[in-house]
Amino acid sequence: MSQHQNNLNPDSEAHLNGPLFQNALTTFDEAAKIINCDPNVAARLRKPRRSLTVSIPVRMDDYSVKVFTGYRVQYNSTLGPYKGGIRFHQNVDLPEVVGLAALMTFKNSVLGLPLGGAKGGVCVDPTRLSRTEKQNLTRRYTSEISAFVGPTKDIPAPDVGTDPQTMAWFMDTYSQEQGGYAQPGVVTGKPVEIGGSLGRNHATGLGVIYVCERAMEVNQMQMAGARIAIQGFGNVGSFAAKFAHERGARVVAVSDVTGGIFNGDGLNIPEVIEHVKQNKGVKGFPGSQTMTNEELLEVECDALLPCALEGQIDTHNAERIKAKIIIEGANGPVTNLATKILVANGKFIAPDTIANGGGVIVSYFEWVQDIMSFFWEEADVDAKLKGIILKAFDNVYKFKLEKNIDMRTAAMAASISRLEKAMLLRGLYPR
Ligand code: NAD
């Protein structure tokens, strides 16, 4: 059957043509081939299960009504309820949300979580909304998708442009629509006062450092005394820097939108954190040399932690990266082509699906605590995070050695393999 006969209206698949999703499918196809994935399973995993588009009318401060467009894509729920963040950004569209929902599916699977993958978003520049407008938008978006979410169905979380306050409004709206009964388990990333988890704030940065330590171990290196460079000094980068510093590493360079700072003897990270609070950026930190973000990526160091944006290491600079190991704190900081160059040059990459998994792992803990109505101490959260993230790393590392492939492909292979087993056990309805 020709492609045309199989798919009578090519426009009906336009939401599958986004670059993020197509990129994920490239790694998916490579990994599926390596593990001889059942072709029927692979065909099902290459498409999202449901894509919901909603109109969101919002009363603005000047009493006009603006109608925004929002999405929730539920990619796959074989392993458990759907889980994935909500993004408020002016570039959000359905193809992007499909790509992000697919990535959540593969991430949750490789991390061994009992969760499926989803993502949501609204096409809006949240920086142009007042607090009231943002609250109105969040509440109406929640209402529009409320039939499809819930503690046993689909559990959103914050992403770009949304935060704990947004999650609090989401939880309140959903709870009001369920007769007014509190439903904390419907979203994660909430403030601690209404069912959030201790340890969530630093979870991703701490996970990055647990993974970095293990990556060093398998490469016969050690954290104490290691030279580390970190791009991005926000939630992920600043906590990663703090935990690396506490473990005796020399954090020689960090950067943010204001530029980069370098000190070969190691920066005093608690003081850099204080400096950022006062000055809104790392720039001008006393006793440091200034460097550009580009220079930071190429600095002489043992481990490079890109924790800012996607696509930072590509074919233009991959050859000049000196770090022996690269831990992807951000989502997609190293492109597929750059990965090939780095691996050929003997570099070790811990891929984002594992390296920045600390956030979703502690989101999972938050959901579990909400369902049990029993809350854990921060030390318990940190210890359980360590157990899960290192188990995922070790599993993927084993796959890498067995199949003689790079860590990114191995992570995808391990992820598909778990999904494949579960899908074959559950079977196809109706058969
Ligand atoms: P954030 O907004 O708190 O921090 C981003 C940091 O990057 C800031 O320091 C900012 O100044 C810096 N930055 C922005 N543009 C830059 C540029 N051009 N060059 C250098 N630095 C730049 O965001 P975050 O929560 O730390 O997220 C960072 C990355 O990690 C994103 O890719 C995000 O998707 C990913 N991530 C975050 C979490 C989480 O729990 N926060 C979880 C998983 C993945």
Side-chain angles (χ1 to χ4, degrees):
M1 188 185 284
S2 76
Q3 175 69 24
H4 186 70
Q5 282 168 306
N6 191 22
N7 175 17
L8 292 177
N9 178 2
D11 285 347
S12 69
E13 304 234 318
H15 62 299
L16 306 181
N17 291 333
L20 187 68
F21 186 53
Q22 288 300 320
N23 208 32
L25 288 183
T26 306
T27 314
F28 176 90
D29 289 341
E30 209 177 310
K33 204 164 148 200
I34 288 165
I35 61 159
N36 279 326
C37 181
D38 181 306
N40 296 334
V41 168
R44 290 169 67 191
L45 278 172
R46 289 179 101 266
K47 284 190 176 183
R49 181 170 182 186
R50 293 189 191 118
S51 305
L52 177 67
T53 301
V54 294
S55 294
I56 311 162
V58 177
R59 176 81 62 195
M60 308 301 280
D61 289 348
D62 65 2
Y63 277 86
S64 66
V65 172
K66 263 196 187 165
V67 185
F68 297 91
T69 303
Y71 309 95
R72 185 74 187 168
V73 173
Q74 298 181 331
Y75 197 89
N76 186 287
S77 65
T78 304
L79 300 170
Y82 298 101
K83 179 115 196 69
I86 295 170
R87 179 171 291 195
F88 285 180
H89 193 273
Q90 58 276 18
N91 294 345
V92 164
D93 58 17
L94 187 54
E96 180 184 75
V97 182
V98 168
L100 292 166
L103 292 177
M104 281 311 299
T105 303
F106 300 127
K107 180 185 265 192
N108 291 340
S109 175
V110 76
L111 291 171
L113 303 178
L115 295 168
K119 202 83 181 190
V122 178
C123 179
V124 60
D125 179 354
T127 63
R128 297 172 74 100
L129 298 179
S130 69
R131 182 184 156 89
T132 309
E133 290 167 343
K134 191 171 175 184
Q135 179 170 177
N136 291 348
L137 174 75
T138 304
R139 288 185 181 279
R140 185 61 190 246
Y141 169 68
T142 306
S143 178
E144 291 299 334
I145 67 167
S146 67
F148 299 88
V149 298
T152 58
K153 296 180 185 170
D154 182 355
I155 308 120
D159 191 67
V160 176
T162 54
D163 58 15
Q165 177 61 73
T166 327
M167 296 305 108
W169 292 328
F170 193 109
M171 175 265 195
D172 183 68
T173 306
Y174 181 80
S175 300
Q176 298 308 335
E177 293 197 348
Q178 301 294 311
Y181 303 104
Q183 300 276 338
V186 68
V187 275
T188 59
K190 299 180 296 296
V192 170
E193 293 79 357
I194 55 168
S197 178
L198 293 174
R200 173 64 185 88
N201 204 23
H202 64 227
T204 308
L206 182 58
V208 166
I209 294 307
Y210 285 145
V211 167
C212 186
E213 277 178 312
R214 186 65 119 229
M216 287 180 162
E217 208 180 303
V218 301
N219 284 285
Q220 287 77 49
M221 297 157 70
Q222 58 176 21
M223 181 65 86
R227 292 162 307 162
I228 297 191
I230 304 180
Q231 186 192 42
F233 208 71
N235 177 274
V236 182
S238 67
F239 278 114
K242 173 179 176 282
F243 292 119
H245 182 81
E246 285 172 4
R247 285 161 171 72
R250 264 188 294 156
V251 182
V252 292
V254 299
S255 68
D256 61 15
V257 272
T258 66
I261 53 172
F262 173 84
N263 183 330
D265 296 330
L267 296 156
N268 183 324
I269 295 301
E271 285 179 14
V272 178
I273 291 172
E274 239 354 88
H275 177 86
V276 170
K277 276 188 199 149
Q278 308 291 332
N279 301 278
K280 299 206 183 322
V282 299
K283 193 177 168 186
F285 179 68
S288 68
Q289 283 165 246
T290 300
M291 64 169 34
T292 63
N293 261 292
E294 191 68 12
E295 286 166 343
L296 177 134
L297 295 170
E298 297 168 20
V299 82
E300 195 73 55
C301 64
D302 301 302
L304 175 64
L305 281 44
C307 299
L309 306 168
E310 65 283 347
Q312 293 299 292
I313 303 174
D314 57 18
T315 50
H316 294 96
N317 57 1
E319 288 287 1
R320 295 195 296 274
I321 303 298
K322 299 190 188 63
K324 167 88 178 104
I325 64 175
I326 296 144
I327 314 292
E328 293 188 324
N331 281 318
V334 181
T335 64
N336 278 352
L337 287 176
T339 300
K340 306 260 181 246
I341 297 173
L342 290 164
V343 170
N345 288 346
K347 311 294 186 191
F348 183 94
I349 304 174
D352 49 5
T353 44
I354 312 173
N356 68 32
V360 71
I361 291 171
V362 176
S363 266
Y364 159 57
F365 295 161
E366 180 177 333
W367 174 67
V368 169
Q369 292 170 81
D370 287 336
I371 290 170
M372 296 191 303
S373 285
F374 181 74
F375 290 85
W376 311 341
E377 298 299 327
E378 189 170 294
D380 280 347
V381 173
D382 291 354
K384 287 187 171 72
L385 161 62
K386 185 174 185 178
I388 290 190
I389 207 163
L390 292 186
K391 190 172 164 192
F393 180 97
D394 292 346
N395 185 31
V396 169
Y397 187 65
K398 203 169 127 224
F399 237 98
K400 167 198 157 53
L401 296 181
E402 268 171 27
K403 309 273 181 197
N404 194 22
I405 51 179
D406 65 80
M407 284 290 280
R408 192 184 307 290
T409 317
M412 182 61 99
S415 172
I416 302 174
S417 180
R418 179 171 175 229
L419 281 159
E420 181 191 30
K421 282 186 197 121
M423 286 170 81
L424 290 174
L425 281 167
R426 284 184 58 164
L428 185 61
Y429 171 82
R431 65 176 301 282

